[in-house]
Amino acid sequence: MGADRVFAYGAAAGLLGDLLLGDPRRGHPVAVFGRAAGAVERVLWRDHRGWGALHTAVCAGGAVALGAAAQRVVRPSAAASAALTAAATWAVVGSTSLSREARAIGRALRTGDVEAARARLPHLCGRDPQALDADGIARAVVESVAENTSDAVVGALVWGAVGGVPGLLGFRAVNTLDAMVGHKSPRYRRYGWASARLDDVAGWPGARLTAVLAAVAGNDRRGAVRAWRADAGKHPSPNAGPVEASFAGALGVRLGGTLSYAGRVEHRPVLNGEGRAVQVADIERAVRLSRRVGWLALGVSAAGALLRRAPSRRPAPKSPAGGLS
């Protein structure tokens, strides 16, 4: 079995495992990585970009090296290679946890329990829940589902198709580091700069693929494309912009506007201004769209791996008769 089929079978099994099992409550590999990255930060932290870049290199490079070593060990066995790919895919994708958290908030809002929804929102995103009413919470959930579809599912599959297990682990490591140190607080404005920039680069292809697939899988393809083209560039994030705009157009809703993070207010541009305000029912619609995008991304990534490696299987051309020996 070639490496292309190993990725296709392994990634499909890993995504199915995530669908059936979700994330473990204890000992999740991403949480283990986060603790290790925190320990490295305690040793290296200086209010300096160079030390932050070293932190990024040590943590992300370590994840890639671990993946490469594990892949090398199992390489002689196709079955073991596929199993490793499945385990790595299950470890790095978060589709089921994303859906569960979004739906839990949606249920609380449907029953009118806004306080329960506020208490649950930090599990999904970093918004200040006390600054949001029911409609604001619903909008925050839809935006988070859109962005995390790219970060927690599609981006990982793209890099898995490119780099196998090291690609899967490396992407998740970079994304986790950005969540830990990539924000613009006084402590991390310089130290987290490298992690934030690397996350922008690593997330670029997955975000564009997510936006394309949201348009394909959504109810309003033209609306998704129109919102993406018109509004994506207005978003402060180069990767969240295309994803959220495409989701907004596909769902026919209006995203963006005023946000609050830990008391800091941001006034972001409106995405898909022609859409209606987000309603609680749109949370379920966003989750279903996210699921469709994830499975389509698996198909695209597997096909990409097959196409990328196809030339290597072509037989070498024979020497012409009478040529030099």
Side-chain angles (χ1 to χ4, degrees):
M1 188 190 302
D4 46 8
R5 294 186 180 181
V6 164
F7 171 76
Y9 295 155
L15 205 58
L16 183 60
D18 175 71
L19 176 64
L20 297 176
L21 304 175
D23 292 334
R25 297 186 180 275
R26 296 182 180 179
H28 194 291
V30 175
V32 173
F33 171 81
R35 288 194 290 272
V40 173
E41 179 190 341
R42 288 192 290 274
V43 174
L44 294 181
W45 189 90
R46 305 288 189 281
D47 191 17
H48 191 276
R49 285 185 175 183
W51 286 96
L54 178 61
H55 175 246
T56 303
V58 168
C59 295
V64 171
L66 177 64
Q71 189 168 268
R72 189 177 300 113
V73 168
V74 301
R75 185 170 294 164
S77 169
S81 297
L84 177 65
T85 302
T89 302
W90 167 80
V92 303
V93 300
S95 178
T96 295
S97 293
L98 174 63
S99 300
R100 285 176 179 172
E101 291 298 332
R103 283 170 168 159
I105 296 171
R107 285 193 299 270
L109 291 176
R110 284 197 301 274
T111 60
D113 194 346
V114 178
E115 287 304 317
R118 286 184 178 134
R120 195 101 189 190
L121 186 62
H123 297 177
L124 192 63
C125 65
R127 307 281 175 85
D128 182 1
Q130 299 306 317
L132 298 173
D133 59 11
D135 292 340
I137 293 172
R139 192 191 79 192
V141 171
V142 171
E143 290 173 352
S144 295
V145 168
E147 185 173 1
N148 283 293
T149 300
S150 175
D151 289 343
V153 183
V154 181
L157 292 173
V158 168
W159 283 103
V162 172
V165 173
L168 287 165
L169 299 188
F171 175 80
R172 188 58 169 164
V174 169
N175 189 249
T176 303
L177 288 172
D178 178 61
M180 293 177 66
V181 304
H183 37 89
K184 296 181 179 179
S185 65
R187 176 177 174 85
Y188 295 122
R189 187 176 299 275
R190 282 180 283 273
Y191 187 81
W193 179 86
S195 290
R197 298 290 77 75
L198 183 58
D199 183 67
D200 286 343
V201 173
W204 196 95
R208 273 71 193 168
L209 178 58
T210 304
V212 170
L213 296 180
V216 171
N219 295 329
D220 187 351
R221 296 180 182 180
R222 291 184 178 180
V225 173
R226 181 176 62 250
W228 178 8
R229 294 179 61 183
D231 299 329
K234 301 174 183 177
H235 198 286
S237 168
N239 294 331
V243 173
E244 291 186 20
S246 186
F247 262 70
L251 296 170
V253 300
R254 186 170 62 248
L255 300 179
T258 302
L259 311 175
S260 178
Y261 291 92
R264 176 172 52 87
V265 176
E266 292 185 13
H267 299 284
R268 292 186 179 176
V270 172
L271 306 177
N272 192 37
E274 299 178 2
R276 57 172 173 78
V278 175
Q279 300 172 358
V280 174
D282 294 316
I283 293 176
E284 179 63 26
R285 295 177 64 229
V287 168
R288 290 180 180 179
L289 177 58
S290 174
R291 287 287 198 186
R292 294 195 295 270
V293 168
W295 286 106
L296 285 173
L298 173 65
V300 171
S301 299
L306 288 166
L307 292 174
R308 186 170 64 86
R309 293 181 174 91
S312 65
R313 295 198 296 267
R314 294 173 184 168
K318 297 180 179 180
S319 300
L324 296 176
S325 60

